[in-house]
């Protein structure tokens, strides 16, 4: 259970993933042999392997290839055990042999320093144990092609991985050399006893995976993840360009589009894995969390644009954004910026249709930030309250602009989104100097949206009152703070609330 919590907090840590897999397999082996227990255990083990390979087994841990290769070897070992237990079931055996081949293919697609040099020998050894694994020449050709492609497409990022190692060595947070077990017949590639019960661990001087990663390590990880996200953005721009230039669609065009989408998804997933790996080393570096949360919010927004205004629901990026925001404020409870980003998460999720916008959630975040005791200055506490209020204001403005311009079926624009001038608008306004300015016509918002706007205005006024009461109670002599709050409220009343209420 402790390891389950650990990988939920640090999903990009390869060593934690390996330790968790070994524990899950040991627990499954120790359970009752009844059919129901066996099915539950098998499902838990398969899910653990799937999550581990998704987060750390796709190329984001090149210089930790010993640990990553151990995960793949453990996966094959588990599948071979299933094959041995189900040798009489032909259908199940076929499924297992296909999974073994897929595992080897995934490993071949994952760039490593040296561990994949023995891949062919390991495959030969597996073939001798189980018939039907990668049995055709085409299967082995795919393995070789995958290794070449991995080296070609991700080899350019090897120097960034090396920069991470240099930074970790400089801050004494590198994996200790004695952590990896050199004995071939050892039960695990990692010497857990040396790592967890060694002299440094007992004396409390261990630094690896203890949260001691600082500025240099976090900067190296951020640079690495940024290069991967830029590669994904470049691939996405190329995809858009092809879609614009190629009006005629055919089988070849569809295949190219699918390959381009796969490339975008691959590099975005790798960037996420690198961010998560960096956060497991540098959990208290605020800038690392800020960059990661902003990156996830951008991916969610790209999904929204791709859906052409339709709700996107609970996608992978939405789940990651919610998780990252919660973990960010847990590890940096002193950061007003991260609490502001957690509030912004509610706005993003409401905008894409993945959640209902509720001002009470923003108030709860404000209470969480202040009750934690890490933000003790009056200025910081006022900023937290004003951040919550301003997110409600943005939601009100967004709702007031949900009516689409009269441009056919064009998706609605956000209130702060760039919008071209309509050169053929039906209304015109003549300036005093005689110039004519085109005015875009908008449809009216519906009654339901009007009601939501009215309710939010009532809610945000209550939030202003609550902020004033908080300042009177906790900072009674700080008149400057109350003046800032009332000025912010006066501006919102004059420019947002009263004009909208009059127009409805």
């Amino acid at each position: 259970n402790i390891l389950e919590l650990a990988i939920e907090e640090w999903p990009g840590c390869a060593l934690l993933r390996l330790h968790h897999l070994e524990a899950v397999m040991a627990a499954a082996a120790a359970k009752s042999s009844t059919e129901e227990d066996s099915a539950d255990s098998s499902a838990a083990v398969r899910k653990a392997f799937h999550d581990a390979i998704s987060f750390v087994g796709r190329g984001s841990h090149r210089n930790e290839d010993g640990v990553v290769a151990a995960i793949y070897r453990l996966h094959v070992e588990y599948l071979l055990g299933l094959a041995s237990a189900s040798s009489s079931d032909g259908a199940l055996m076929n499924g297992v042999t296909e999974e073994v081949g897929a595992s080897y293919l995934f490993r071949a697609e994952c760039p490593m320093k040296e561990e994949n040099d023995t891949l062919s020998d390991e495959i030969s050894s597996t073939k001798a144990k189980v018939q039907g694994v990668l049995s055709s020449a085409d299967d082995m050709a795919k393995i070789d092609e995958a290794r070449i492609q991995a080296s070609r497409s991700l080899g350019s990022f090897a120097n960034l991985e090396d920069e991470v190692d240099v930074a970790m060595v400089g801050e004494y947070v590198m994996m200790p050399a004695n952590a990896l077990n050199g004995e071939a017949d050892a039960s695990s590639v990692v010497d857990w006893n040396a790592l967890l019960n060694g002299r440094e661990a007992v004396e409390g001087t261990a630094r690896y995976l203890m949260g001691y990663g600082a500025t240099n390590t976090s900067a190296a990880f951020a640079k690495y993840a940024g290069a991967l996200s830029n590669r994904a953005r470049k691939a996405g721009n190329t995809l858009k360009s092809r879609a614009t230039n190629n009006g005629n669609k055919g089988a070849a065009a569809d295949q190219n589009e699918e390959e381009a989408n796969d490339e975008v998804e691959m590099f975005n997933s790798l960037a996420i894995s690198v961010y998560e790996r960096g956060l497991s080393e540098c959990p208290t570096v605020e800038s690392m969390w800020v960059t990661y949360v902003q990156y996830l919010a951008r991916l969610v927004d790209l999904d929204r644009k791709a859906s052409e205004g339709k709700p996107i629901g609970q996608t992978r990026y939405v789940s990651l954004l919610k998780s990252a925001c919660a973990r960010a404020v847990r590890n940096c409870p002193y950061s007003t910026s991260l609490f502001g980003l957690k509030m912004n998460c509610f706005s993003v999720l409401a905008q894409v249709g993945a959640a209902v916008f509720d001002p009470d959630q923003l108030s709860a975040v404000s209470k969480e930030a202040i009750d934690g005791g890490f933000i003790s200055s009056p200025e910081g506490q006022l900023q937290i309250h004003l951040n919550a209020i301003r997110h409600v204001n943005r939601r009100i403005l967004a709702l007031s602009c949900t009516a689409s311009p009269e441009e056919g079926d064009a998706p609605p624009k956000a209130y702060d989104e760039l919008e071209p001038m309509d050169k053929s608008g039906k209304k015109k306004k003549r300036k005093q100097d005689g110039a004519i300015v085109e005015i875009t016509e908008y449809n009216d918002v519906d009654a339901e949206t009007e009601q939501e706007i009215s309710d939010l205005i009532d809610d945000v006024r209550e939030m202003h009152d609550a902020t004033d009461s908080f300042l009177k109670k906790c900072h009674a002599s700080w008149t400057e703070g109350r003046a800032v709050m009332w000025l912010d409220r006066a501006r919102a009343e004059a420019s947002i609330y009263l004009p909208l209420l009059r127009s409805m």
Side-chain angles (χ1 to χ4, degrees), residues 320-501:
L320 283 169
L321 177 60
K322 291 193 290 188
S323 169
C325 288
R327 291 182 287 135
V329 297
R330 272 202 300 268
N331 288 279
C332 300
Y334 49 81
S335 171
T336 56
S337 298
L338 288 175
F339 277 105
L341 286 173
K342 184 175 181 179
M343 294 177 187
N344 184 60
C345 174
F346 296 124
S347 300
V348 171
L349 297 181
Q351 188 178 16
V352 302
V356 176
F357 186 85
D358 184 359
D360 289 342
Q361 291 179 319
L362 299 175
S363 298
V365 174
S366 298
K367 187 175 186 303
E368 176 190 358
I370 293 170
D371 289 353
F374 291 92
I375 301 175
S376 56
S377 68
E379 295 82 3
Q381 293 179 349
L382 176 59
Q383 183 182 345
I384 290 292
H385 281 284
L386 292 181
N387 272 343
I389 289 169
R390 287 164 185 165
H391 278 93
V392 181
N393 289 342
R394 292 190 186 110
R395 177 62 178 172
I396 292 170
L397 288 171
L399 287 171
S400 69
C401 297
T402 52
S404 302
E406 295 183 343
E407 299 174 358
D409 297 327
K413 299 282 186 182
Y415 77 96
D416 56 352
E417 190 172 353
L418 291 176
E419 184 175 340
M421 293 293 293
D422 185 0
K423 298 301 182 183
S424 59
K426 297 178 182 178
K427 289 188 177 181
K428 296 181 180 180
K429 179 180 178 181
R430 187 176 295 278
K431 282 185 164 182
Q432 291 182 354
D433 60 3
I436 294 178
V437 179
E438 305 286 353
I439 300 177
T440 301
E441 288 191 287
Y442 285 83
N443 299 320
D444 293 330
V445 296
D446 56 35
E448 185 178 348
T449 303
E450 282 192 358
Q451 184 60 51
E452 185 175 354
I453 291 173
S454 178
D455 292 342
L456 286 175
I457 290 175
D458 291 339
D459 289 334
V460 77
R461 283 171 169 171
E462 290 179 4
M463 293 172 73
H464 277 296
D465 292 338
T467 302
D468 187 43
S469 299
F470 171 80
L471 292 175
K472 285 180 181 178
K473 178 181 178 181
C474 299
H475 307 289
S477 62
W478 190 41
T479 56
E480 295 88 348
R482 293 189 65 210
V484 169
M485 190 279 296
W486 277 103
L487 179 60
D488 185 85
R489 180 171 189 172
R491 286 172 174 166
E493 289 281 357
S495 60
I496 302 176
Y497 312 151
L498 292 177
L500 281 174
L501 290 173

Side-chain angles (χ1 to χ4, degrees), residues 43-86:
V45 174
R46 285 176 180 273
K47 182 181 184 303
F49 274 114
H50 175 270
D51 293 345
I53 290 173
S54 297
F55 268 100
V56 306
R58 305 302 289 148
S60 57
H61 294 63
R62 175 182 175 273
N63 286 6
E64 292 185 357
D65 59 343
V67 180
V68 176
I71 290 174
Y72 278 109
R73 291 187 183 110
L74 197 63
H75 187 215
V76 171
E77 179 185 330
Y78 168 72
L79 293 173
L80 292 181
L82 289 182
S84 175
S86 58

Side-chain angles (χ1 to χ4, degrees), residues 183-196:
E183 300 177 15
D185 58 346
S187 59
S188 173
V189 70
V190 178
D191 187 346
W192 297 114
N193 184 58
L195 187 65
L196 302 177

